[in-house]
Amino acid sequence: MFLWRLPQAVCLLSVCVSLTLGYEDDIEVNYGDSYYNEITEGEPLEPTATAIPTQAPCKVTEMTKWDKLFSMLENSQMRENMLLQYSDDIIKVELGSLRGEMLKFVAQYGGACGVAVETAGRRMSMQMEARLKESLEHLRQDRSIAAGKSAGNSGNSHQETLLQQLLTVARTQASRLVKLENICLSNPGPVTPPEAKGEDLQQDVVSAEMLVALVTELAKTRAVLELAFKSAQQRHLPAGCETALLFPMRSRRIFSSVTPDLPLSLSSFTVCLWAKPVSVSNRTVLFSYGTKRNPYEIQLLLSGTRALFTVGGEAHLVEGRGVARGGIWTHICGAWSSEQGIASLWADGHRVAFTPGVAEGHVLPDGGSLQLGQEKNDGGVSGGSDGSGSQMPGFDGGFDAKLAFTGKMTGVNMWDSVLTEEEISQLALQDGEGCEQRGNVVGWGLTEIVPHGGAQFIN
């Protein structure tokens, strides 16, 4: 038994020794330093054939320009969709909050709409009626005082008729406001937002229609009242003036003579007046001063829509265009200085013409005649107010009916100096107190002004 196992052990041992020797032959032992990334002098930078390249984690193919373009388009489309979605969400939220605010507003103020409109309407109608009744009462008193003057009566009667019409308009507006009140009171209670979406939308529509109707009616009422007030203002005198001169028709006998407070031997002056012409011809005289030697020393004229101003003769003319209109009060001033011959023309507080060298060095002569609504002429047309052929006071000649002014005139003043721009602007304020600023040569309400031939003072 022992002998049999001994050969087996020897065989096994020999096999192990042979394997060990073969393995040592295959392994080359290198005891030097091994640096695989060492670059020796003169060696190329490329890796050697023995180096094992490291494989990339993933292989990326190069994109063409079309691939890049499609990628950009996809990205922009995604951004656009995101922005649209964001905008849609914002609009929904804002509309929801706006709807909630509107419902709160209607719920809070729906019941007070009728009360507010009723109060405002009653106040406006009461104020309008009170003012118109007061005006009617004044007119009736004036008519009773001036009962003997037929012309004055006819004018007052016409104004009374117009004010009666204004009173009727005011009452009509009061009835409109009552209807508006009924519209608002048709839904006086507070509006509670219903739970159902259909009822909620219907309630919003009704509230919007009610607000639109309210705004429309108030706009109509405001337009009618503004028109009525403008019409009423046209009946009153401007700049706080209490009286005016009425020239009822165009006639050679109708004018007003003025006796100045100072001699008219002037080297500078300013003349201002308010005029409301009924119609304007090719040449209409407002203010005229002349002597026997020169009938045209001072002239303030209208010609269509133009205003004309002359000093020392018609050769020296200052013209302003687009100044006058029929039926409207217009403030006109003419100023002149002899030192440099500077002449300027003003309309409603604005200088519309400026001319140097007008009658430079000239001095107005004293002893002439000053008229309103006409001018002196040498045409041989003469006649007194009685038609007997006697000459007008202060004139050797007569008047021309074609030059006569027809309309109203007030606030006629004259100074012996040139007024400043600020002073003329204050005189031209319709709502101001220009009539309180009187000239030292001619002062409205102080200087003697005598109407002739049918011209008369009115209140």
Side-chain angles (χ1 to χ4, degrees):
M1 188 67 175
F2 176 75
L3 295 175
W4 172 253
R5 292 184 173 179
L6 183 60
Q8 292 181 349
V10 172
C11 288
L12 180 61
L13 181 61
S14 62
V15 170
C16 291
V17 170
S18 61
L19 289 174
T20 304
L21 293 174
Y23 178 75
E24 289 178 356
D25 293 336
D26 293 335
I27 298 175
E28 295 181 0
V29 179
N30 188 6
Y31 295 99
D33 296 332
S34 59
Y35 299 106
Y36 294 102
N37 58 349
E38 182 178 0
I39 299 175
T40 59
E41 185 176 358
E43 186 178 356
L45 296 177
E46 287 78 6
T48 61
T50 58
I52 300 174
T54 305
Q55 294 183 356
C58 59
K59 186 176 182 181
V60 180
T61 59
E62 183 179 0
M63 297 178 65
T64 64
K65 62 179 181 179
W66 295 108
D67 294 334
K68 295 178 180 179
L69 180 61
F70 289 145
S71 298
M72 292 172 62
L73 290 175
E74 289 178 358
N75 294 335
S76 64
Q77 186 68 28
M78 292 176 62
R79 291 191 186 96
E80 182 179 358
N81 292 334
M82 292 173 64
L83 289 175
L84 290 175
Q85 182 66 30
Y86 180 68
S87 302
D88 191 19
D89 294 340
I90 291 177
I91 291 174
K92 287 181 180 179
V93 172
E94 293 296 331
L95 287 177
S97 61
L98 179 61
R99 181 172 173 275
E101 293 294 333
M102 288 295 295
L103 291 175
K104 290 180 181 179
F105 175 79
V106 174
Q108 183 176 359
Y109 298 104
C113 175
V115 178
V117 173
E118 178 184 7
T119 304
R122 287 180 178 176
R123 285 181 179 177
M124 285 191 293
S125 61
M126 290 174 63
Q127 291 178 0
M128 191 73 177
E129 288 186 6
R131 291 181 181 178
L132 293 176
K133 287 180 179 178
E134 183 179 356
S135 299
L136 281 174
E137 187 65 27
H138 286 308
L139 286 176
R140 286 170 182 168
Q141 292 178 0
D142 295 339
R143 186 178 61 176
S144 62
I145 294 173
K149 298 180 180 180
S150 59
N153 288 337
S154 61
N156 289 335
S157 178
H158 178 64
Q159 291 184 357
E160 183 177 356
T161 303
L162 292 175
L163 288 175
Q164 287 285 3
Q165 293 176 359
L166 290 176
L167 185 59
T168 304
V169 170
R171 290 174 178 172
T172 303
Q173 296 310 313
S175 63
R176 284 189 179 184
L177 290 172
V178 170
K179 292 180 181 179
L180 185 60
E181 174 190 350
N182 294 332
I183 292 175
C184 290
L185 289 177
S186 61
N187 190 10
V191 180
T192 303
E195 297 179 356
K197 294 183 178 180
E199 295 179 359
D200 197 359
L201 180 59
Q202 184 178 4
Q203 185 63 42
D204 292 342
V205 172
V206 171
S207 301
E209 290 178 351
M210 184 176 65
L211 292 175
V212 170
L214 175 63
V215 172
T216 304
E217 288 296 327
L218 289 177
K220 290 180 180 179
T221 304
R222 179 179 179 180
V224 173
L225 289 176
E226 286 180 353
L227 182 62
F229 277 119
K230 287 181 180 179
S231 179
Q233 287 178 354
Q234 290 297 321
R235 314 293 175 222
H236 296 288
L237 301 178
C241 298
E242 298 180 354
T243 59
L245 271 171
L246 173 64
F247 300 85
M249 65 187 71
R250 186 176 288 116
S251 170
R252 64 186 179 89
R253 296 184 176 90
I254 297 178
F255 72 102
S256 294
S257 60
V258 183
T259 304
D261 298 332
L262 296 177
L264 287 179
S265 56
L266 305 175
S267 59
S268 63
F269 67 86
T270 302
V271 57
C272 295
L273 57 85
W274 285 92
K276 183 182 179 182
V278 174
S279 63
V280 179
S281 63
N282 188 37
R283 183 183 176 91
T284 300
V285 179
L286 298 176
F287 184 98
S288 176
Y289 173 71
T291 62
K292 294 180 180 181
R293 186 173 182 179
N294 184 6
Y296 311 112
E297 287 290 345
I298 303 174
Q299 283 191 316
L300 193 58
L301 315 170
L302 295 179
S303 177
T305 60
R306 300 178 302 162
L308 308 176
F309 176 50
T310 64
V311 179
E314 293 185 343
H316 307 290
L317 180 64
V318 182
E319 177 182 351
R321 298 180 179 272
V323 171
R325 288 181 295 171
I328 296 178
W329 283 107
T330 304
H331 188 260
I332 301 175
C333 285
W336 170 78
S337 175
S338 173
E339 183 176 354
Q340 297 179 353
I342 297 176
S344 57
L345 186 62
W346 302 73
D348 292 330
H350 303 283
R351 191 172 67 180
V352 295
F354 175 83
T355 303
V358 175
E360 184 176 355
H362 179 64
V363 177
L364 295 177
D366 192 17
S369 298
L370 179 60
Q371 308 87 33
L372 302 177
Q374 267 286 6
E375 71 173 7
K376 176 185 176 181
N377 61 62
D378 299 327
V381 179
S382 62
S385 60
D386 56 355
S388 60
S390 60
Q391 296 176 347
M392 294 293 180
F395 287 87
D396 297 332
F399 293 124
D400 186 355
K402 296 180 181 179
L403 305 179
F405 172 77
T406 173
K408 298 176 183 178
M409 191 182 300
T410 188
V412 181
N413 290 283
M414 185 176 184
W415 293 263
D416 60 355
S417 61
V418 176
L419 298 185
T420 63
E421 179 179 355
E422 183 179 358
E423 291 172 335
I424 294 178
S425 300
Q426 292 296 323
L427 293 172
L429 296 176
Q430 284 205 10
D431 298 332
E433 299 295 334
C435 274
E436 299 295 330
Q437 306 297 324
R438 296 178 173 87
N440 59 343
V441 178
V442 176
W444 182 255
L446 298 178
T447 302
E448 181 183 2
I449 300 177
V450 180
H452 297 276
Q456 60 180 323
F457 282 101
I458 61 172
N459 294 323

